[in-house]
Amino acid sequence: MSLVSGPGRGGASAGGHVPDELKLVVEKHVEYIQSLDTRQDELEYWLTEHLRLNGVYWGLTALHLLGHPDALSRLATIDFILSCQHENGGFGAAPGHDAHMLYTVSAVQILGTVDALEELDRRGKAGTEKVGKYIADLQNQETGSFAGDQWGETDTRFLYGALNALSLLHMLRLVNVSKAVTHIQACANFDGGYGVSPGAESHAGQIFTCVAALAIAGRLDLVDKDRLGGWLSERQVPNGGLNGRPEKVEDVCYSWWVGSSLAMIDRLHWINGDKLAQFILRCQDPDKGGIADRPGDMVDVFHTHFGIAGLSLIGFPGLIAVDPIYCMPREVTKRLLGKLNT
Amino acid sequence: MGKYSDSDEWVDVVPIPQDDGGPNPLAAIAYTEEYSEAMSYLRAAMAKNEKSDRALKLTEEIIRMNPAHYTVWLYRADMLFSLQKDLLEELEWLNTVALKHTKNFQIWHHRQVVMSHIPTLPPRETAFLALMFAKDAKNYHVWSYRQWLVRHFSLWDSELPYIESLLQIDVRNNSAWNHRWFVVFARHTDSKKHSIKNGDADSDVPLEIIEREVEYTKAAISTAPQNQSPWNYLRGVLRKKGIGLVELKGFAEQYADLEKEDEVRSSHALDFLADVYAAEEHKERSGKALELLARRYDPIRKNYWDYRRSLLALDQVSA
């Protein structure tokens, strides 16, 4: 999956005319994501190699939410994912890249989405148990936090990723969940939000990781929902878009980080969904597909994914429902978590 | 043919090309030549875990082209320590990379790894961070690093004047407000090993510190009343000591007078007063403030303000 940006720009249309009623150009987005693999002759394709596995997750999940789950070859996807695995169970961003938490989580999510987790035991370089152990070993026994790799960088993103993947694998027993919860509480701030580490500024992306980790741990009771919901809803700016911190510029990706956090604490209706949908649709390239961070900027697969996920979250017609905790199709997480009856 | 294949220095190394992931790859080979060649020598050097000056230089070249390649940083840090390189020189080099790639976060983790091997704060460190903030005063990675630095070298006392200079330039800088909170309160919270959450009440904080913070924040609000950060900060400071918002009713009413609907200067003051009036059991006044927010001063969040109003009505037996 290429992470090359462009060629189109959000809102670009011959003559620059923006129609009154904006539509989601589903077919164009599907073609845009499919086209990304043909763009390997550009330097940017290779300079973004360290994100390749994330890129597959973004593209694939967007296609599933668009209702086109078969638009990428399932077999080629599985082959690529397995080629990124190491013998210690972890996955790198691309073949030959070191194993890292983030790509290991994406690998589990992707294999789960295409219903191929059993391939780990069948032909992975390491089986499911080792994948779980790789993730679990990155927990700091003293603080409960998680590192991204042996380099030791810690970030609430890694903690969330660990709980995400381990719960999908039914292996949460491998980690100390209550210590992880204690660490998240230490990242809570006076304004109701959460930061990357204790004391760090509240940031919508980190809030998503902390709230979703608490949701997986079954501890949303620890969240001051009204205070956090108030802060999150204040992220919406008059044009309908959302920013990640006070006085910062709006960006399509926060449609997801802010929206999913609000959804998890049952306060998504505190923002104006219609205005948000209009903002996201204005960031589309209606001719060549893809979504940009803001109208007028280059489209890319990251913003395409989070824009579509944001639209799905607010119940935009025609999209498959997304799970706000896992950022995967709800049907997929139900299947994987064994909650088919709910 | 290439920079490395033509060099005597690398003549003993057989480069390892990219493994494209099997017979049916989503990823295939089309690197631009310079990057591609450097990467193949990196793979070869890493495969035999070579620790040498030439490999260090190679990582420098690759980072220059692509600082987000996380594998390279790890390898470089390993080499720096085992070759016992001058770490201050490494910082100087990192400065140039950080200034060029301001959104990159691997740079800051590497800096932290390097800095934790240096016994005392290098004299040029704060000046360099100031330069970074001059480019982007809200850079999240730089702020996180600065918090680590403050804790690591115990720099608590010298931070406030610097924060105040940043807020003087931009009183809306939420990162600086957060850092102020960190410097004023985290030294108390840290020592208690998380038994008290960052935002929770803590009776051990001296009253004169609370008073100083309230006065500073009031002054900041007076320069720009429609600014979310200091209003949040003010609420946090009061909560820290268990002081009711009612204490600042007169202050907030300067910016929002319910009798003069057209002259509200701050939606945050209205929000604040809605809580003040509710605490005073003046539910009608509180409801009016919330109604003004929903209808006029912050209509995009109408559902939020309506929810706040419904909380008032719940208390009333007959509304």
PDB file of all heavy atoms in Angstrom, chain A residues 40 43 46 49 98 188-189 199 201 226-227 230 233-234 245 247 269, chain B residues 26 28 30 32 70 138 140 147 174-175 178 198 228 239 301 303 307:
ATOM      1  N   GLN A  40       4.721   2.800  -7.454  1.00  0.00           N
ATOM      2  CA  GLN A  40       5.983   2.460  -6.814  1.00  0.00           C
ATOM      3  C   GLN A  40       7.195   3.104  -7.471  1.00  0.00           C
ATOM      4  O   GLN A  40       8.314   2.870  -7.058  1.00  0.00           O
ATOM      5  CB  GLN A  40       6.128   0.936  -6.786  1.00  0.00           C
ATOM      6  CG  GLN A  40       5.014   0.320  -5.959  1.00  0.00           C
ATOM      7  CD  GLN A  40       4.906  -1.169  -6.131  1.00  0.00           C
ATOM      8  OE1 GLN A  40       5.633  -1.747  -6.925  1.00  0.00           O
ATOM      9  NE2 GLN A  40       4.002  -1.787  -5.407  1.00  0.00           N
ATOM     10  N   LEU A  43       9.610   8.389  -5.398  1.00  0.00           N
ATOM     11  CA  LEU A  43      10.496   8.331  -4.225  1.00  0.00           C
ATOM     12  C   LEU A  43       9.682   8.252  -2.931  1.00  0.00           C
ATOM     13  O   LEU A  43       9.995   7.514  -2.016  1.00  0.00           O
ATOM     14  CB  LEU A  43      11.407   9.559  -4.195  1.00  0.00           C
ATOM     15  CG  LEU A  43      12.328   9.648  -2.961  1.00  0.00           C
ATOM     16  CD1 LEU A  43      13.257   8.450  -2.902  1.00  0.00           C
ATOM     17  CD2 LEU A  43      13.114  10.941  -2.960  1.00  0.00           C
ATOM     18  N   TRP A  46       8.900   4.972  -1.394  1.00  0.00           N
ATOM     19  CA  TRP A  46       9.960   4.296  -0.638  1.00  0.00           C
ATOM     20  C   TRP A  46      10.317   5.020   0.635  1.00  0.00           C
ATOM     21  O   TRP A  46      10.695   4.411   1.621  1.00  0.00           O
ATOM     22  CB  TRP A  46      11.176   4.099  -1.545  1.00  0.00           C
ATOM     23  CG  TRP A  46      10.744   3.253  -2.689  1.00  0.00           C
ATOM     24  CD1 TRP A  46      10.480   3.649  -3.968  1.00  0.00           C
ATOM     25  CD2 TRP A  46      10.399   1.857  -2.629  1.00  0.00           C
ATOM     26  NE1 TRP A  46      10.010   2.597  -4.700  1.00  0.00           N
ATOM     27  CE2 TRP A  46       9.947   1.493  -3.924  1.00  0.00           C
ATOM     28  CE3 TRP A  46      10.413   0.893  -1.627  1.00  0.00           C
ATOM     29  CZ2 TRP A  46       9.522   0.193  -4.218  1.00  0.00           C
ATOM     30  CZ3 TRP A  46      10.001  -0.397  -1.916  1.00  0.00           C
ATOM     31  CH2 TRP A  46       9.558  -0.730  -3.209  1.00  0.00           C
ATOM     32  N   GLU A  49       8.215   3.770   3.417  1.00  0.00           N
ATOM     33  CA  GLU A  49       8.232   2.325   3.624  1.00  0.00           C
ATOM     34  C   GLU A  49       8.063   1.955   5.096  1.00  0.00           C
ATOM     35  O   GLU A  49       7.449   0.935   5.430  1.00  0.00           O
ATOM     36  CB  GLU A  49       9.559   1.767   3.102  1.00  0.00           C
ATOM     37  CG  GLU A  49       9.591   0.259   3.068  1.00  0.00           C
ATOM     38  CD  GLU A  49      10.942  -0.238   2.588  1.00  0.00           C
ATOM     39  OE1 GLU A  49      11.941  -0.043   3.295  1.00  0.00           O
ATOM     40  OE2 GLU A  49      10.974  -0.805   1.498  1.00  0.00           O
ATOM     41  N   ASP A  98      12.753  -3.549  11.505  1.00  0.00           N
ATOM     42  CA  ASP A  98      12.663  -4.129  12.847  1.00  0.00           C
ATOM     43  C   ASP A  98      11.219  -4.280  13.300  1.00  0.00           C
ATOM     44  O   ASP A  98      10.350  -3.488  12.920  1.00  0.00           O
ATOM     45  CB  ASP A  98      13.387  -3.221  13.856  1.00  0.00           C
ATOM     46  CG  ASP A  98      14.897  -3.331  13.724  1.00  0.00           C
ATOM     47  OD1 ASP A  98      15.352  -4.295  13.089  1.00  0.00           O
ATOM     48  OD2 ASP A  98      15.605  -2.449  14.243  1.00  0.00           O
ATOM     49  N   ALA A 188      -4.030  11.362  32.908  1.00  0.00           N
ATOM     50  CA  ALA A 188      -5.210  12.234  32.897  1.00  0.00           C
ATOM     51  C   ALA A 188      -4.808  13.646  33.308  1.00  0.00           C
ATOM     52  O   ALA A 188      -3.957  13.827  34.174  1.00  0.00           O
ATOM     53  CB  ALA A 188      -6.275  11.691  33.849  1.00  0.00           C
ATOM     54  N   ASN A 189      -5.417  14.639  32.682  1.00  0.00           N
ATOM     55  CA  ASN A 189      -5.055  16.037  32.943  1.00  0.00           C
ATOM     56  C   ASN A 189      -6.169  16.823  33.607  1.00  0.00           C
ATOM     57  O   ASN A 189      -7.325  16.392  33.622  1.00  0.00           O
ATOM     58  CB  ASN A 189      -4.663  16.712  31.625  1.00  0.00           C
ATOM     59  CG  ASN A 189      -3.279  16.297  31.176  1.00  0.00           C
ATOM     60  OD1 ASN A 189      -2.377  16.114  32.006  1.00  0.00           O
ATOM     61  ND2 ASN A 189      -3.105  16.122  29.879  1.00  0.00           N
ATOM     62  N   GLY A 199       1.632  14.169  32.701  1.00  0.00           N
ATOM     63  CA  GLY A 199       2.010  15.578  32.623  1.00  0.00           C
ATOM     64  C   GLY A 199       1.912  16.180  31.238  1.00  0.00           C
ATOM     65  O   GLY A 199       1.875  17.403  31.097  1.00  0.00           O
ATOM     66  N   GLU A 201       0.526  17.437  27.588  1.00  0.00           N
ATOM     67  CA  GLU A 201      -0.678  18.166  27.175  1.00  0.00           C
ATOM     68  C   GLU A 201      -1.765  17.234  26.626  1.00  0.00           C
ATOM     69  O   GLU A 201      -1.469  16.278  25.902  1.00  0.00           O
ATOM     70  CB  GLU A 201      -0.265  19.178  26.095  1.00  0.00           C
ATOM     71  CG  GLU A 201      -1.385  20.089  25.615  1.00  0.00           C
ATOM     72  CD  GLU A 201      -0.923  20.999  24.468  1.00  0.00           C
ATOM     73  OE1 GLU A 201       0.227  20.876  24.003  1.00  0.00           O
ATOM     74  OE2 GLU A 201      -1.746  21.839  24.042  1.00  0.00           O
ATOM     75  N   ASP A 226     -18.402  13.854  31.592  1.00  0.00           N
ATOM     76  CA  ASP A 226     -18.900  15.190  31.250  1.00  0.00           C
ATOM     77  C   ASP A 226     -17.753  16.167  30.987  1.00  0.00           C
ATOM     78  O   ASP A 226     -17.802  16.970  30.059  1.00  0.00           O
ATOM     79  CB  ASP A 226     -19.810  15.729  32.367  1.00  0.00           C
ATOM     80  CG  ASP A 226     -21.209  15.109  32.293  1.00  0.00           C
ATOM     81  OD1 ASP A 226     -21.468  14.334  31.346  1.00  0.00           O
ATOM     82  OD2 ASP A 226     -22.038  15.404  33.174  1.00  0.00           O
ATOM     83  N   ARG A 227     -16.712  16.085  31.816  1.00  0.00           N
ATOM     84  CA  ARG A 227     -15.591  17.016  31.632  1.00  0.00           C
ATOM     85  C   ARG A 227     -14.840  16.702  30.344  1.00  0.00           C
ATOM     86  O   ARG A 227     -14.546  17.584  29.536  1.00  0.00           O
ATOM     87  CB  ARG A 227     -14.652  16.955  32.835  1.00  0.00           C
ATOM     88  CG  ARG A 227     -13.610  18.034  32.858  1.00  0.00           C
ATOM     89  CD  ARG A 227     -13.419  18.636  34.257  1.00  0.00           C
ATOM     90  NE  ARG A 227     -13.085  17.640  35.267  1.00  0.00           N
ATOM     91  CZ  ARG A 227     -11.841  17.412  35.705  1.00  0.00           C
ATOM     92  NH1 ARG A 227     -10.824  18.085  35.201  1.00  0.00           N
ATOM     93  NH2 ARG A 227     -11.616  16.530  36.642  1.00  0.00           N
ATOM     94  N   GLY A 230     -17.002  17.599  27.363  1.00  0.00           N
ATOM     95  CA  GLY A 230     -17.023  19.038  27.144  1.00  0.00           C
ATOM     96  C   GLY A 230     -15.783  19.494  26.388  1.00  0.00           C
ATOM     97  O   GLY A 230     -15.860  20.251  25.416  1.00  0.00           O
ATOM     98  N   SER A 233     -15.910  18.116  22.734  1.00  0.00           N
ATOM     99  CA  SER A 233     -16.880  18.783  21.849  1.00  0.00           C
ATOM    100  C   SER A 233     -16.402  20.191  21.501  1.00  0.00           C
ATOM    101  O   SER A 233     -16.749  20.731  20.455  1.00  0.00           O
ATOM    102  CB  SER A 233     -18.264  18.815  22.492  1.00  0.00           C
ATOM    103  OG  SER A 233     -18.245  19.561  23.682  1.00  0.00           O
ATOM    104  N   GLU A 234     -15.575  20.758  22.364  1.00  0.00           N
ATOM    105  CA  GLU A 234     -15.038  22.088  22.082  1.00  0.00           C
ATOM    106  C   GLU A 234     -14.016  22.070  20.945  1.00  0.00           C
ATOM    107  O   GLU A 234     -13.571  23.105  20.468  1.00  0.00           O
ATOM    108  CB  GLU A 234     -14.398  22.658  23.357  1.00  0.00           C
ATOM    109  CG  GLU A 234     -14.231  24.158  23.316  1.00  0.00           C
ATOM    110  CD  GLU A 234     -14.308  24.796  24.691  1.00  0.00           C
ATOM    111  OE1 GLU A 234     -14.118  24.074  25.681  1.00  0.00           O
ATOM    112  OE2 GLU A 234     -14.557  26.001  24.757  1.00  0.00           O
ATOM    113  N   ARG A 245      -6.282  19.999  19.559  1.00  0.00           N
ATOM    114  CA  ARG A 245      -5.961  20.734  20.780  1.00  0.00           C
ATOM    115  C   ARG A 245      -6.521  22.143  20.627  1.00  0.00           C
ATOM    116  O   ARG A 245      -6.751  22.590  19.501  1.00  0.00           O
ATOM    117  CB  ARG A 245      -4.435  20.843  20.956  1.00  0.00           C
ATOM    118  CG  ARG A 245      -3.725  19.546  21.199  1.00  0.00           C
ATOM    119  CD  ARG A 245      -2.234  19.802  21.416  1.00  0.00           C
ATOM    120  NE  ARG A 245      -1.441  19.732  20.199  1.00  0.00           N
ATOM    121  CZ  ARG A 245      -0.210  20.237  20.078  1.00  0.00           C
ATOM    122  NH1 ARG A 245       0.357  20.851  21.095  1.00  0.00           N
ATOM    123  NH2 ARG A 245       0.456  20.106  18.945  1.00  0.00           N
ATOM    124  N   GLU A 247      -6.954  25.938  19.967  1.00  0.00           N
ATOM    125  CA  GLU A 247      -6.237  26.915  19.128  1.00  0.00           C
ATOM    126  C   GLU A 247      -5.373  26.271  18.056  1.00  0.00           C
ATOM    127  O   GLU A 247      -4.403  26.872  17.607  1.00  0.00           O
ATOM    128  CB  GLU A 247      -5.379  27.861  19.995  1.00  0.00           C
ATOM    129  CG  GLU A 247      -6.175  28.691  20.983  1.00  0.00           C
ATOM    130  CD  GLU A 247      -7.025  29.775  20.322  1.00  0.00           C
ATOM    131  OE1 GLU A 247      -6.657  30.253  19.235  1.00  0.00           O
ATOM    132  OE2 GLU A 247      -8.092  30.116  20.890  1.00  0.00           O
ATOM    133  N   HIS A 269     -23.225  12.931  20.194  1.00  0.00           N
ATOM    134  CA  HIS A 269     -24.203  13.939  19.763  1.00  0.00           C
ATOM    135  C   HIS A 269     -23.868  15.336  20.278  1.00  0.00           C
ATOM    136  O   HIS A 269     -24.551  16.298  19.944  1.00  0.00           O
ATOM    137  CB  HIS A 269     -25.605  13.523  20.221  1.00  0.00           C
ATOM    138  CG  HIS A 269     -25.737  13.407  21.708  1.00  0.00           C
ATOM    139  ND1 HIS A 269     -25.138  12.384  22.423  1.00  0.00           N
ATOM    140  CD2 HIS A 269     -26.353  14.198  22.629  1.00  0.00           C
ATOM    141  CE1 HIS A 269     -25.400  12.544  23.714  1.00  0.00           C
ATOM    142  NE2 HIS A 269     -26.135  13.629  23.865  1.00  0.00           N
TER     143      HIS A 269
ATOM    144  N   LEU B  26       2.804  -6.903  -2.575  1.00  0.00           N
ATOM    145  CA  LEU B  26       2.139  -5.604  -2.705  1.00  0.00           C
ATOM    146  C   LEU B  26       3.199  -4.533  -2.895  1.00  0.00           C
ATOM    147  O   LEU B  26       2.950  -3.473  -3.431  1.00  0.00           O
ATOM    148  CB  LEU B  26       1.339  -5.284  -1.446  1.00  0.00           C
ATOM    149  CG  LEU B  26      -0.008  -5.989  -1.282  1.00  0.00           C
ATOM    150  CD1 LEU B  26      -0.662  -5.525   0.018  1.00  0.00           C
ATOM    151  CD2 LEU B  26      -0.924  -5.687  -2.450  1.00  0.00           C
ATOM    152  N   ALA B  28       7.021  -3.696  -4.367  1.00  0.00           N
ATOM    153  CA  ALA B  28       8.058  -4.157  -5.286  1.00  0.00           C
ATOM    154  C   ALA B  28       9.212  -3.163  -5.323  1.00  0.00           C
ATOM    155  O   ALA B  28       9.246  -2.209  -4.573  1.00  0.00           O
ATOM    156  CB  ALA B  28       7.480  -4.363  -6.673  1.00  0.00           C
ATOM    157  N   ALA B  30      11.541  -0.297  -6.665  1.00  0.00           N
ATOM    158  CA  ALA B  30      11.752   0.845  -7.560  1.00  0.00           C
ATOM    159  C   ALA B  30      12.335   2.033  -6.809  1.00  0.00           C
ATOM    160  O   ALA B  30      11.985   3.164  -7.064  1.00  0.00           O
ATOM    161  CB  ALA B  30      10.442   1.244  -8.234  1.00  0.00           C
ATOM    162  N   THR B  32      14.557   5.040  -5.583  1.00  0.00           N
ATOM    163  CA  THR B  32      15.475   5.934  -6.277  1.00  0.00           C
ATOM    164  C   THR B  32      16.877   5.495  -5.864  1.00  0.00           C
ATOM    165  O   THR B  32      17.082   4.972  -4.774  1.00  0.00           O
ATOM    166  CB  THR B  32      15.267   7.413  -5.898  1.00  0.00           C
ATOM    167  OG1 THR B  32      15.583   7.554  -4.542  1.00  0.00           O
ATOM    168  CG2 THR B  32      13.849   7.844  -6.187  1.00  0.00           C
ATOM    169  N   TYR B  70      12.622   4.201  11.627  1.00  0.00           N
ATOM    170  CA  TYR B  70      12.918   3.973  13.043  1.00  0.00           C
ATOM    171  C   TYR B  70      14.040   2.979  13.288  1.00  0.00           C
ATOM    172  O   TYR B  70      14.793   3.081  14.243  1.00  0.00           O
ATOM    173  CB  TYR B  70      11.657   3.536  13.805  1.00  0.00           C
ATOM    174  CG  TYR B  70      11.037   2.228  13.333  1.00  0.00           C
ATOM    175  CD1 TYR B  70      11.324   1.019  13.953  1.00  0.00           C
ATOM    176  CD2 TYR B  70      10.155   2.214  12.267  1.00  0.00           C
ATOM    177  CE1 TYR B  70      10.751  -0.170  13.507  1.00  0.00           C
ATOM    178  CE2 TYR B  70       9.582   1.033  11.812  1.00  0.00           C
ATOM    179  CZ  TYR B  70       9.887  -0.161  12.436  1.00  0.00           C
ATOM    180  OH  TYR B  70       9.333  -1.332  11.993  1.00  0.00           O
ATOM    181  N   LYS B 138       4.043  25.052  19.610  1.00  0.00           N
ATOM    182  CA  LYS B 138       3.118  24.018  20.096  1.00  0.00           C
ATOM    183  C   LYS B 138       3.586  22.620  19.698  1.00  0.00           C
ATOM    184  O   LYS B 138       2.798  21.682  19.699  1.00  0.00           O
ATOM    185  CB  LYS B 138       1.710  24.284  19.538  1.00  0.00           C
ATOM    186  CG  LYS B 138       1.140  25.619  19.987  1.00  0.00           C
ATOM    187  CD  LYS B 138      -0.179  25.928  19.299  1.00  0.00           C
ATOM    188  CE  LYS B 138      -0.674  27.326  19.692  1.00  0.00           C
ATOM    189  NZ  LYS B 138      -1.920  27.674  18.980  1.00  0.00           N
ATOM    190  N   TYR B 140       4.398  19.184  19.834  1.00  0.00           N
ATOM    191  CA  TYR B 140       4.078  18.240  20.913  1.00  0.00           C
ATOM    192  C   TYR B 140       5.294  17.420  21.345  1.00  0.00           C
ATOM    193  O   TYR B 140       5.504  17.176  22.525  1.00  0.00           O
ATOM    194  CB  TYR B 140       2.956  17.304  20.439  1.00  0.00           C
ATOM    195  CG  TYR B 140       2.214  16.610  21.568  1.00  0.00           C
ATOM    196  CD1 TYR B 140       1.185  17.260  22.256  1.00  0.00           C
ATOM    197  CD2 TYR B 140       2.529  15.316  21.941  1.00  0.00           C
ATOM    198  CE1 TYR B 140       0.499  16.641  23.282  1.00  0.00           C
ATOM    199  CE2 TYR B 140       1.845  14.679  22.970  1.00  0.00           C
ATOM    200  CZ  TYR B 140       0.830  15.346  23.642  1.00  0.00           C
ATOM    201  OH  TYR B 140       0.153  14.717  24.659  1.00  0.00           O
ATOM    202  N   GLN B 147       9.486  18.187  29.118  1.00  0.00           N
ATOM    203  CA  GLN B 147       9.014  17.695  30.419  1.00  0.00           C
ATOM    204  C   GLN B 147       9.955  16.620  30.965  1.00  0.00           C
ATOM    205  O   GLN B 147      10.274  16.603  32.151  1.00  0.00           O
ATOM    206  CB  GLN B 147       7.595  17.130  30.292  1.00  0.00           C
ATOM    207  CG  GLN B 147       6.566  18.223  30.033  1.00  0.00           C
ATOM    208  CD  GLN B 147       5.154  17.746  30.274  1.00  0.00           C
ATOM    209  OE1 GLN B 147       4.881  16.555  30.363  1.00  0.00           O
ATOM    210  NE2 GLN B 147       4.231  18.678  30.376  1.00  0.00           N
ATOM    211  N   ASN B 174      -1.821  26.768  24.260  1.00  0.00           N
ATOM    212  CA  ASN B 174      -2.291  25.780  25.232  1.00  0.00           C
ATOM    213  C   ASN B 174      -1.146  24.902  25.741  1.00  0.00           C
ATOM    214  O   ASN B 174      -1.169  24.447  26.884  1.00  0.00           O
ATOM    215  CB  ASN B 174      -3.379  24.914  24.591  1.00  0.00           C
ATOM    216  CG  ASN B 174      -4.149  24.095  25.614  1.00  0.00           C
ATOM    217  OD1 ASN B 174      -4.796  24.633  26.494  1.00  0.00           O
ATOM    218  ND2 ASN B 174      -4.043  22.782  25.508  1.00  0.00           N
ATOM    219  N   SER B 175      -0.162  24.655  24.898  1.00  0.00           N
ATOM    220  CA  SER B 175       0.993  23.843  25.316  1.00  0.00           C
ATOM    221  C   SER B 175       1.734  24.535  26.463  1.00  0.00           C
ATOM    222  O   SER B 175       2.170  23.879  27.413  1.00  0.00           O
ATOM    223  CB  SER B 175       1.961  23.646  24.146  1.00  0.00           C
ATOM    224  OG  SER B 175       1.307  23.102  23.039  1.00  0.00           O
ATOM    225  N   ASN B 178      -0.261  24.201  29.606  1.00  0.00           N
ATOM    226  CA  ASN B 178      -0.118  22.858  30.165  1.00  0.00           C
ATOM    227  C   ASN B 178       1.229  22.709  30.861  1.00  0.00           C
ATOM    228  O   ASN B 178       1.333  22.106  31.921  1.00  0.00           O
ATOM    229  CB  ASN B 178      -0.246  21.799  29.068  1.00  0.00           C
ATOM    230  CG  ASN B 178      -0.146  20.400  29.649  1.00  0.00           C
ATOM    231  OD1 ASN B 178      -1.072  19.917  30.276  1.00  0.00           O
ATOM    232  ND2 ASN B 178       1.006  19.763  29.484  1.00  0.00           N
ATOM    233  N   ASN B 198      -3.220  13.938  38.365  1.00  0.00           N
ATOM    234  CA  ASN B 198      -2.768  15.258  37.955  1.00  0.00           C
ATOM    235  C   ASN B 198      -3.799  16.362  38.222  1.00  0.00           C
ATOM    236  O   ASN B 198      -3.467  17.434  38.706  1.00  0.00           O
ATOM    237  CB  ASN B 198      -2.436  15.156  36.464  1.00  0.00           C
ATOM    238  CG  ASN B 198      -1.700  16.348  35.960  1.00  0.00           C
ATOM    239  OD1 ASN B 198      -1.333  17.226  36.744  1.00  0.00           O
ATOM    240  ND2 ASN B 198      -1.480  16.402  34.668  1.00  0.00           N
ATOM    241  N   GLN B 228      -9.835  29.751  25.586  1.00  0.00           N
ATOM    242  CA  GLN B 228     -10.214  28.581  26.372  1.00  0.00           C
ATOM    243  C   GLN B 228      -9.163  28.187  27.420  1.00  0.00           C
ATOM    244  O   GLN B 228      -9.509  27.791  28.533  1.00  0.00           O
ATOM    245  CB  GLN B 228     -10.440  27.409  25.415  1.00  0.00           C
ATOM    246  CG  GLN B 228     -10.982  26.184  26.113  1.00  0.00           C
ATOM    247  CD  GLN B 228     -10.960  24.958  25.212  1.00  0.00           C
ATOM    248  OE1 GLN B 228     -10.661  25.041  24.029  1.00  0.00           O
ATOM    249  NE2 GLN B 228     -11.304  23.824  25.774  1.00  0.00           N
ATOM    250  N   ARG B 239      -9.954  23.786  41.620  1.00  0.00           N
ATOM    251  CA  ARG B 239     -10.280  22.415  42.020  1.00  0.00           C
ATOM    252  C   ARG B 239      -9.148  21.809  42.843  1.00  0.00           C
ATOM    253  O   ARG B 239      -9.366  21.042  43.780  1.00  0.00           O
ATOM    254  CB  ARG B 239     -10.551  21.562  40.778  1.00  0.00           C
ATOM    255  CG  ARG B 239     -11.241  20.226  41.092  1.00  0.00           C
ATOM    256  CD  ARG B 239     -11.454  19.365  39.847  1.00  0.00           C
ATOM    257  NE  ARG B 239     -12.053  20.093  38.744  1.00  0.00           N
ATOM    258  CZ  ARG B 239     -11.432  20.346  37.598  1.00  0.00           C
ATOM    259  NH1 ARG B 239     -10.202  19.901  37.393  1.00  0.00           N
ATOM    260  NH2 ARG B 239     -12.042  21.016  36.648  1.00  0.00           N
ATOM    261  N   ARG B 301     -22.336  23.613  19.502  1.00  0.00           N
ATOM    262  CA  ARG B 301     -22.399  22.619  20.588  1.00  0.00           C
ATOM    263  C   ARG B 301     -23.741  22.669  21.325  1.00  0.00           C
ATOM    264  O   ARG B 301     -23.807  22.423  22.530  1.00  0.00           O
ATOM    265  CB  ARG B 301     -21.255  22.871  21.582  1.00  0.00           C
ATOM    266  CG  ARG B 301     -19.921  22.546  21.024  1.00  0.00           C
ATOM    267  CD  ARG B 301     -18.951  22.246  22.144  1.00  0.00           C
ATOM    268  NE  ARG B 301     -18.642  23.398  22.962  1.00  0.00           N
ATOM    269  CZ  ARG B 301     -18.106  23.308  24.173  1.00  0.00           C
ATOM    270  NH1 ARG B 301     -17.845  22.129  24.709  1.00  0.00           N
ATOM    271  NH2 ARG B 301     -17.833  24.403  24.860  1.00  0.00           N
ATOM    272  N   ASN B 303     -26.212  20.716  21.573  1.00  0.00           N
ATOM    273  CA  ASN B 303     -26.601  19.513  22.332  1.00  0.00           C
ATOM    274  C   ASN B 303     -25.874  19.417  23.665  1.00  0.00           C
ATOM    275  O   ASN B 303     -26.428  18.915  24.633  1.00  0.00           O
ATOM    276  CB  ASN B 303     -26.325  18.242  21.524  1.00  0.00           C
ATOM    277  CG  ASN B 303     -27.284  18.102  20.370  1.00  0.00           C
ATOM    278  OD1 ASN B 303     -28.300  18.805  20.308  1.00  0.00           O
ATOM    279  ND2 ASN B 303     -26.969  17.205  19.442  1.00  0.00           N
ATOM    280  N   TYR B 307     -27.697  19.572  27.249  1.00  0.00           N
ATOM    281  CA  TYR B 307     -27.472  18.529  28.259  1.00  0.00           C
ATOM    282  C   TYR B 307     -27.191  19.170  29.618  1.00  0.00           C
ATOM    283  O   TYR B 307     -27.731  18.765  30.643  1.00  0.00           O
ATOM    284  CB  TYR B 307     -26.305  17.638  27.831  1.00  0.00           C
ATOM    285  CG  TYR B 307     -25.780  16.734  28.938  1.00  0.00           C
ATOM    286  CD1 TYR B 307     -26.444  15.543  29.253  1.00  0.00           C
ATOM    287  CD2 TYR B 307     -24.645  17.069  29.664  1.00  0.00           C
ATOM    288  CE1 TYR B 307     -25.968  14.719  30.280  1.00  0.00           C
ATOM    289  CE2 TYR B 307     -24.169  16.258  30.686  1.00  0.00           C
ATOM    290  CZ  TYR B 307     -24.827  15.089  30.987  1.00  0.00           C
ATOM    291  OH  TYR B 307     -24.368  14.275  32.001  1.00  0.00           O
TER     292      TYR B 307
END
